[in-house]
């Protein structure tokens, strides 16, 4: 099973992705697909993933979770990515490490121009609804920040650190001889038209579920585990919570151990099918939580309602985008695009 992530997600300050760090990894070559909606970028990447013959990391679009935004073939060190807004990418070392692939050349401008006003309207409407979603997320963020701040105040850190040491002992993180290890940000959860959802992990992964409604205990626990794993030479993937501008850790993967630590609570609901659950509520001061129970209850309810509004705005933006795609699909020279895609796919296979 391929590893799956989101390329990024909307957050309080706009769309956030760390994929540029993957593009700039030594030895990798990136094909940056350019072109408007409906020009076959996602379809081409899905075909590559299906026919390339190696396990891939697949990065999906948070605005349209059926759409593929990037594929990383770690064996052959080839990356193919959608380089259009909101995740605009351009070559930093053209022809050396990256190159642009222009799928827009298969449009017929003459077929688009009669629909100019409608197309402009759709682009503006799509942008407006994404902007609305970001405003909702910004409002939501002020509430989650309040819960996180309360959690930090109530957190019994010494007790949590003792639990962290027991978890680390169970992982048997033997010190590796290699001095190189990677700590990378990979987005597992994101705001989507279906709500705040999390990508599925491979079935052979062991999962430890961290049940936490205040974010602070899970954040500290994940930071302790990630620091120790990286110190011992293991690669670590960190997924940050999209409700914060600051790096609040939400999930953690240690791929070499096929082990994941996943946060779950009222904000990010995740079902654990293969592993143990740890309720982190016992690592908060009960008296402080009791005194603030009305505050906690209000914030949780408000966040839950705003999350729905975020998803509705993203869903409306997607509907507008789908209408927009129709005009570009109708304007395509499909036969030439298919011929190009087949040649491009053959070139990818020959590079492996």
């Amino acid at each position: 099973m391929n590893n799956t992530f989101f390329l990024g997600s909307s957050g309080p300050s706009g769309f956030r992705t760390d994929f540029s760090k993957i593009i700039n990894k030594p030895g990798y070559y990136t094909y940056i697909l350019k072109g408007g909606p409906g020009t076959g970028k996602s379809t081409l990447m899905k075909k590559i993933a299906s026919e390339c013959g190696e396990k891939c990391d697949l990065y999906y679009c948070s605005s349209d979770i059926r759409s593929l935004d990037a594929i990383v073939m770690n064996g052959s060190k080839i990356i193919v990515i959608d380089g259009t807004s909101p995740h605009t990418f351009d070559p930093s070392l053209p022809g050396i490490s990256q190159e642009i692939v222009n799928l827009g050349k298969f449009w017929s401008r003459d077929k688009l121009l009669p629909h100019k006003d409608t197309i402009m309207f759709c682009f503006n409407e799509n942008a407006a609804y994404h902007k609305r979603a970001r405003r909702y997320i910004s409002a939501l963020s002020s509430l989650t920040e309040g819960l996180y701040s309360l959690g930090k105040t109530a957190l019994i850190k010494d007790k949590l650190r003792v639990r962290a040491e027991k978890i680390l002992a169970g992982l048997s993180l033997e010190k590796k001889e290699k001095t190189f290890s990677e700590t990378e940000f990979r987005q597992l959860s994101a705001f989507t038209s279906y709500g705040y959802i999390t990508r599925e992990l491979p079935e052979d992964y062991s999962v430890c579920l961290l049940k936490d409604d205040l974010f602070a205990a899970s954040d500290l626990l994940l930071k302790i585990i990630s620091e120790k794993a990286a110190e011992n030479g293991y690669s670590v993937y960190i997924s940050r919570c999209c409700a914060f501008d600051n790096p609040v850790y939400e999930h953690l993967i240690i791929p070499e151990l096929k082990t994941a630590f996943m946060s779950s609570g009222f904000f990010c609901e995740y079902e654990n099918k293969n592993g143990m659950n740890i309720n982190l509520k016992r690592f908060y001061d009960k008296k402080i939580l009791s005194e603030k129970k009305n505050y906690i209850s209000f914030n949780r309810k408000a966040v839950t309602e705003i999350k729905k509004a975020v998803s509705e705005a993203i869903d409306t933006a997607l509907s507008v985008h789908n209408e927009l795609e129709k005009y570009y699909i109708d304007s395509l020279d499909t036969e030439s695009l298919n011929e190009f895609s087949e040649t491009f796919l053959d070139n990818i296979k020959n590079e492996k």
Side-chain angles (χ1 to χ4, degrees), residues 62-340:
S62 55
S63 296
D64 180 1
I65 62 172
R66 299 163 301 175
S67 180
L68 199 57
D69 269 352
I71 173 173
V72 179
M73 292 168 274
N74 291 300
S76 52
K77 295 191 174 181
I78 294 173
I79 299 171
V80 184
I81 184 169
D82 179 346
T84 56
S85 181
H87 36 78
T88 303
F89 296 97
D90 288 298
S92 55
L93 288 170
I96 305 298
S97 297
Q98 308 93 18
E99 68 179 81
I100 288 176
V101 178
N102 180 21
L103 299 181
K105 64 185 178 182
F106 298 105
W107 298 327
S108 169
R109 187 165 176 263
D110 291 339
K111 291 183 179 180
L112 288 172
L113 283 176
H115 308 287
K116 174 184 173 183
D117 291 341
T118 304
I119 289 172
M120 289 177 64
F121 174 79
C122 287
F123 269 114
N124 290 334
E125 280 291 282
N126 179 267
Y129 278 104
H130 278 298
K131 188 175 181 180
R132 178 182 295 185
R134 290 194 293 271
R135 286 200 301 268
Y136 287 141
I137 294 170
S138 182
L140 176 153
S141 178
S142 65
L143 298 168
T144 54
E145 287 280 2
L147 291 172
Y148 178 78
S149 179
L150 172 61
K152 285 187 70 175
T153 300
L155 192 59
I156 308 172
K157 292 183 181 179
D158 290 342
K159 184 178 179 182
L160 183 62
R161 290 183 187 279
V162 170
R163 186 69 175 95
E165 289 300 322
K166 290 181 180 178
I167 292 173
L168 288 167
L171 290 176
S172 301
L173 293 171
E174 297 180 2
K175 187 79 172 179
K176 294 191 174 186
E177 292 183 5
K178 69 174 184 178
T179 57
F180 174 76
S181 63
E182 295 176 300
T183 300
E184 297 181 359
F185 289 105
R186 305 281 184 97
Q187 202 63 46
L188 282 169
S189 297
F191 290 105
T192 77
S193 59
Y194 293 93
Y196 191 76
I197 67 172
T198 304
R199 301 297 315 181
E200 287 293 328
L201 295 169
E203 294 179 356
D204 58 348
Y205 269 57
S206 174
V207 179
C208 177
L209 191 69
L210 308 176
K211 303 183 76 172
D212 187 12
D213 281 346
L214 298 179
F215 307 99
S218 52
D219 175 53
L220 179 57
L221 183 57
L222 292 176
K223 285 174 178 173
I224 293 171
I225 294 170
S226 66
E227 183 180 341
K228 186 65 175 179
E231 180 185 307
N232 282 20
Y234 291 83
S235 295
V236 179
Y237 299 157
I238 300 296
S239 180
R240 293 178 292 186
C241 182
C242 299
F244 298 87
D245 269 330
N246 296 322
V248 174
Y249 287 15
E250 189 168 45
H251 313 300
L252 179 153
I253 293 175
I254 307 175
E256 291 158 276
L257 300 181
K258 293 187 176 181
T259 297
F261 295 85
M262 309 291 289
S263 297
S264 181
F266 84 96
F267 181 76
C268 178
E269 299 177 4
Y270 187 81
E271 182 182 353
N272 190 9
K273 301 176 182 177
N274 186 24
M276 67 176 179
N277 299 340
I278 301 176
N279 192 337
L280 298 181
K281 188 174 182 179
R282 67 178 185 268
F283 298 101
Y284 293 110
D285 186 297
K286 292 181 181 178
K287 185 173 183 296
I288 295 176
L289 296 190
S290 177
E291 292 171 350
K292 295 291 185 178
K293 65 180 181 179
N294 291 336
Y295 174 82
I296 294 170
S297 177
F298 175 84
N299 279 27
R300 284 183 50 169
K301 289 177 182 177
V303 167
T304 300
E305 289 304 310
I306 297 173
K307 271 202 307 177
K308 294 177 184 176
V310 172
S311 295
E312 289 171 2
I314 294 174
D315 188 54
T316 304
L318 177 59
S319 297
V320 175
H321 179 272
N322 290 340
E323 285 299 311
L324 195 57
E325 276 193 332
K326 294 177 184 178
Y327 294 100
Y328 283 88
I329 291 171
D330 289 343
S331 77
L332 283 175
D333 179 350
T334 307
E335 184 177 344
S336 295
L337 175 60
N338 289 340
E339 288 177 3
F340 173 84

